[in-house]
Amino acid sequence: MSEQTVRKIIHVDMDAFFASVEQRDDPALRGRPVAVGYAVKRGVVAAASYESRTFGVRSAMPSSTATRKCPTLIFVPPRFEVYKAVSRQIHAIFADYTPLVEPLSLDEAYLDVTTNLRGLPTASQTAAEIRRRILEETGLSASAGVSYNKFLAKLASDQNKPDGQFVVPPGRGESFVETLPVTRFYGVGPVTAAKMRALGIENGADLKAQSLDFLQHHFGSSGGWYHDISRGLDHRPVRPDRERKSAGSETTFQEDLTDPAKIEAGVTAMAADVWAWCEQTGSRGRTATVKVKWADFQQTTRSRSVSGRIDSPDILDAIALDLVRSVYPPRMGVRLVGVTLSNLEAGALCAAAEPRLALG
Ligand SMILES: [Mg+2]
């Protein structure tokens, strides 16, 4: 395939994924404002149903804020096993169309269908067929964006959400981007967006009006990326072999803790969580890391590697406890602990990072 070949990229994104799975499995939740997460102090919303979004509830919002915005909000605890099973189902569907699938999370992936295994003439038809099969086989709706690169495909999948798709054909990328707020662009987080706003850059057209020099001066090495995307350019390939480099879990306590027994209970729970992932994916790692976030939000991390691999939950737990004990006596309250396993053995394909939930 020559470099000049126009690529056909689809970004598939399930609609309000966790919340939709809960509404699918419990008819009493249908049509009602649902948040997946825990309504505990410092809890966060992992996913919000469309009914709750009309009240302003969003994912990653503190549960307390969500409840204030929507007093009738129903909190449902997450069931990651079920979400992972659905994720496997949709990946089995993707595999019928292309081996070039790059997962972004449990419910989102890029597909390169420049040549598709079903011989469908257009990427748009391919996306429509994939969405139809997802609905038939899982009972859940998905949206899709179709374009000639990843940046545009991801923007496009949001255009007709939920249960819709949108195509940005070759030649239309630049004008499509012009009208969109920069907050929607990949690589523009809240801090960058605020900085751009201060410079008078609010949308794609504003961004395109800036020179490469100007963007590099203000945004350093990201300047080139912003220059490209304002023109609808993105040369990143779809990387099907993206491997997960680590598996981690962390928890924010309901209150800052100084009691070692309580801190260690948190560490043990997180180690067990990480081990559950190991069991499920058949992965094993060599390095364990414990993170402690203090009341002042500073954090301390401690790591240890073993010569072979950490191959039992008891060993992981023992190492994690040893590591957390190395920061005693706690210099102030502990707000959060996390356990991460890295140096994973090859073969643990990216299973997608899960949102961090406050387990309280
Ligand atoms: Mg989604």
Side-chain angles (χ1 to χ4, degrees):
M1 200 180 299
S2 82
E3 271 184 12
Q4 272 66 46
T5 304
V6 176
R7 293 182 296 155
K8 296 176 181 174
I9 310 294
I10 301 173
H11 177 251
V12 177
D13 185 10
M14 302 295 287
D15 301 321
F17 182 49
F18 300 167
S20 299
V21 172
E22 298 306 330
Q23 289 180 316
R24 176 193 72 177
D25 294 350
D26 181 358
L29 298 174
R30 291 181 200 158
R32 303 181 66 184
V34 171
V36 174
Y38 297 97
V40 294
K41 199 172 149 193
R42 299 201 199 182
V44 293
V45 173
S49 74
Y50 285 98
E51 294 84 358
S52 73
R53 293 183 193 191
T54 62
F55 292 87
V57 176
R58 296 285 181 273
S59 58
M61 178 179 276
S63 299
S64 52
T65 310
T67 306
R68 190 154 22 82
K69 285 180 181 285
C70 178
T72 57
L73 188 62
I74 304 166
F75 279 86
V76 181
R79 296 180 301 153
F80 283 115
E81 294 318 305
V82 179
Y83 312 147
K84 285 175 184 166
V86 175
S87 188
R88 283 192 290 273
Q89 277 182 290
I90 65 174
H91 277 270
I93 295 170
F94 298 158
D96 283 344
Y97 298 85
T98 176
L100 301 177
V101 177
E102 177 181 334
L104 290 175
S105 63
L106 285 178
D107 77 313
E108 257 183 83
Y110 292 116
L111 285 65
D112 185 328
V113 296
T114 311
T115 53
N116 73 73
L117 302 173
R118 293 287 175 108
L120 295 168
T122 70
S124 182
Q125 276 170 273
T126 311
E129 190 172 307
I130 288 172
R131 291 176 45 242
R132 182 182 54 73
R133 284 189 56 195
I134 289 175
L135 184 61
E136 276 173 15
E137 295 176 30
T138 71
L140 298 164
S141 70
S143 297
V146 179
S147 195
Y148 50 93
N149 64 43
K150 295 205 291 192
F151 174 73
L152 294 169
K154 186 160 164 62
L155 284 173
S157 68
D158 252 351
Q159 281 307 102
N160 282 331
K161 230 177 193 320
D163 197 19
Q165 66 183 60
F166 188 79
V167 183
V168 180
R172 296 280 179 78
E174 199 159 345
S175 55
F176 173 63
V177 167
E178 272 180 5
T179 59
L180 300 176
V182 293
T183 48
R184 282 190 48 194
F185 295 169
Y186 177 81
V188 179
V191 174
T192 303
K195 195 170 167 185
M196 286 188 177
R197 175 179 273 263
L199 293 166
I201 303 167
E202 308 241 358
N203 57 38
D206 298 335
L207 192 60
K208 192 167 64 177
Q210 309 304 326
S211 69
L212 179 59
D213 272 357
F214 176 92
L215 293 172
Q216 284 173 336
H217 174 73
H218 288 283
F219 302 102
S221 56
S222 303
W225 169 253
Y226 300 141
H227 191 262
D228 275 357
I229 61 174
S230 69
R231 286 156 183 78
L233 300 174
D234 174 10
H235 303 293
R236 295 172 302 156
V238 170
R239 293 191 303 156
D241 55 351
R242 184 149 92 173
E243 283 190 16
R244 186 163 168 158
K245 295 281 189 280
S246 66
S249 203
E250 60 187 44
T251 184
T252 303
F253 296 121
Q254 293 204 43
E255 56 199 340
D256 299 334
L257 299 179
T258 49
D259 176 356
K262 290 181 179 168
I263 297 168
E264 288 170 20
V267 169
T268 290
M270 294 305 98
D273 210 32
V274 169
W275 189 262
W277 178 85
C278 292
E279 288 285 279
Q280 214 165 68
T281 57
S283 317
R284 295 293 182 269
R286 205 163 64 76
T287 304
T289 302
V290 165
K291 173 167 95 176
V292 172
K293 193 184 272 184
W294 304 99
D296 64 358
F297 285 82
Q298 299 280 91
Q299 60 183 49
T300 303
T301 58
R302 293 277 189 273
S303 290
R304 183 180 304 162
S305 296
V306 301
S307 52
R309 58 181 204 178
I310 297 170
D311 56 8
S312 85
D314 294 345
I315 294 173
L316 178 61
D317 187 51
I319 294 174
L321 289 176
D322 225 27
L323 290 170
V324 77
R325 285 171 189 152
S326 74
V327 307
Y328 290 168
R331 58 183 178 85
M332 62 174 74
V334 171
R335 177 181 164 79
L336 169 155
V337 293
V339 174
T340 300
L341 192 62
S342 55
N343 275 322
L344 299 177
E345 280 181 9
L349 283 175
C350 176
E354 288 163 7
R356 303 306 186 196
L357 293 168
L359 303 175

